[in-house]
Amino acid sequence: MAIIIKTPEEIEKMRVACRLGAEVLDYIAPYVKVGVTTAELDRLCLDYMTQVQGTISACLNYAPPGYAPYPAAICTSINHQICHGIPNDRPLKDGDIVNIDVTIITKDGFHGDTSRMYLPGTPSIQAKRLCAITFECMWLGIQVVKPGGHLGDIGAVIQKHAEKNGFSVVREFCGHGVGRAFHEDPQVLHYGRAGTGPEFAPGMIFTIEPMINAGKAAIRQMPDGWTITTKDRSLSAQWEHTVLVTETGVEVLTLSADCPPAPTGIGV
Ligand code: MF3
Ligand code: CO
Ligand code: CO
C-alpha cells in the first residue's frame, strides 16, 4: 500500500472530520469526573456524534483481521491500560488517569481521529508528570513534520524525550495514515532514528499518538481481545492529533476550542 496524497477537496473534508472528532473530546470533558462510569461516557459521546453532529463512530463494530468487532463508540484506557480500553460499568476513582480516544466518520466518509488524557480527582505527581511528558512527546513529534523531513524524525524526538524522562515508548502500536480509511499507510512509529523512513510530502495526513509507559515498554493483551495494558502494570498515557503535511510545515487538524495548546519551551 502506498501513502495517499490527499487532494485539496479531500483535505477540506478532513479538516471538517478532524474538527468534529476534537469537538467530541471538548463535549465530554465536563462529564469526566470521579464516580462516572466509562459506559456512561461512551453513551454520551455516541449520542453527541449521532444526534448533534450527524457523524458515526468509526470504532463501533470496527473489526480488523483477527479482531472481534469493537463493542463501543469510544476507547477509554485507564491507568495501566495503554489503549483500546472498552468502556464498562466501573466508576472512575479519585486519582485515575483516563485516555479517551474518539474517531468519527462524517457523512462524506472521512475519519477524524484524536485522543486526550483526562485527570479527574487528584492524580499523583508521577501520573501528572507522565501525562505532561506524553503531551510534550506528541507535540515534539508534530513540530518536526515538514517537507524534506522523514517519518523517522517523529519517532526519534518522541523516544528521546520519553526516555530522557525515565519513561518508555510502546512499540506494538503506532500512528497511521487516515482519510477515507481509518488506518492507512504509513505507520508512524513513536521510536526510531531521524532521517529514516519515507519523506514527508505535502498532502499526507496521518496521526501522531505516542503511548508512553511509566515503567517498561512491554504490553499485554487482555482476554477481551482489545484492551492493551502494560505488562508491569505501570501507568501509561497517550495523546493523539491528526496532522496534514503542508508546503511549508504542518497543520494540526484535530484542534478545537478547548484542546490544550502546544506546550512552550520544550524545543526540538
Ligand atoms: N482510535 C484508535 C487509533 O488511534 C483506534 C481504535 S480502534 C477501536 O488508531 F476499535 F479500538 F476503537
Ligand atoms: Co489513531
Ligand atoms: Co485514536
Side-chain angles (χ1 to χ4, degrees):
M1 253 203 320
I3 302 174
I4 298 170
I5 301 296
K6 270 74 177 179
T7 65
E9 293 72 29
E10 290 170 330
I11 289 169
E12 202 42 52
K13 288 174 178 161
M14 279 300 285
R15 286 197 179 98
V16 173
C18 289
R19 181 177 44 76
L20 289 165
E23 285 174 358
V24 178
L25 295 178
D26 286 1
Y27 163 75
I28 202 63
Y31 297 101
V32 188
K33 296 274 185 251
V34 172
V36 77
T37 67
T38 46
E40 176 69 3
L41 299 176
D42 184 65
R43 191 188 60 77
L44 286 163
C45 287
L46 183 61
D47 286 353
Y48 187 76
M49 292 176 205
T50 53
Q51 290 164 33
V52 178
Q53 294 188 323
T55 61
I56 63 171
S57 163
C59 298
L60 188 59
N61 296 318
Y62 182 58
Y67 284 81
Y70 186 77
I74 61 173
C75 299
T76 53
S77 304
I78 302 168
N79 297 340
H80 66 292
Q81 296 177 344
I82 295 170
C83 63
H84 306 163
I86 300 173
N88 62 29
D89 287 324
R90 281 191 297 280
L92 292 180
K93 299 187 307 295
D94 192 18
D96 283 349
I97 62 169
V98 55
N99 172 276
I100 300 184
D101 193 341
V102 162
T103 309
I104 62 86
I105 311 175
T106 59
K107 287 206 182 71
D108 291 330
F110 288 86
H111 291 70
D113 185 7
T114 182
S115 83
R116 298 181 196 158
M117 295 304 297
Y118 296 81
L119 288 65
T122 316
S124 69
I125 289 167
Q126 163 86 333
K128 268 200 268 194
R129 205 176 133 258
L130 175 67
C131 296
I133 297 295
T134 305
F135 184 67
E136 292 174 5
C137 282
M138 174 185 67
W139 273 103
L140 285 168
I142 291 170
Q143 287 165 4
V144 299
V145 176
K146 54 174 161 299
H150 295 256
L151 231 12
D153 301 353
I154 297 173
V157 286
I158 290 174
Q159 181 177 12
K160 186 168 159 224
H161 195 59
E163 292 179 356
K164 186 179 80 191
N165 283 283
F167 299 142
S168 63
V169 178
V170 171
R171 302 293 202 267
E172 290 83 351
F173 295 89
C174 53
H176 50 92
V178 57
R180 284 189 196 277
F182 195 168
H183 294 104
E184 300 177 351
D185 274 355
Q187 293 197 16
V188 181
L189 304 186
H190 302 116
Y191 62 94
R193 277 187 28 240
T196 63
E199 209 171 297
F200 298 124
M204 289 181 181
I205 295 182
F206 52 80
T207 72
I208 299 177
E209 49 179 303
M211 285 144 272
I212 306 296
N213 298 346
K216 297 210 169 74
I219 68 163
R220 263 174 74 177
Q221 186 177 44
M222 293 295 99
D224 66 24
W226 277 103
T227 310
I228 304 297
T229 69
T230 56
K231 194 170 175 196
D232 62 9
R233 296 189 66 86
S234 65
L235 290 178
S236 186
Q238 179 177 29
W239 288 84
E240 176 176 23
H241 270 313
T242 297
V243 306
L244 163 72
V245 183
T246 65
E247 297 292 335
T248 53
V250 64
E251 178 181 332
V252 180
L253 301 180
T254 37
L255 299 177
S256 61
D258 298 340
C259 84
T264 49
I266 38 170
V268 276

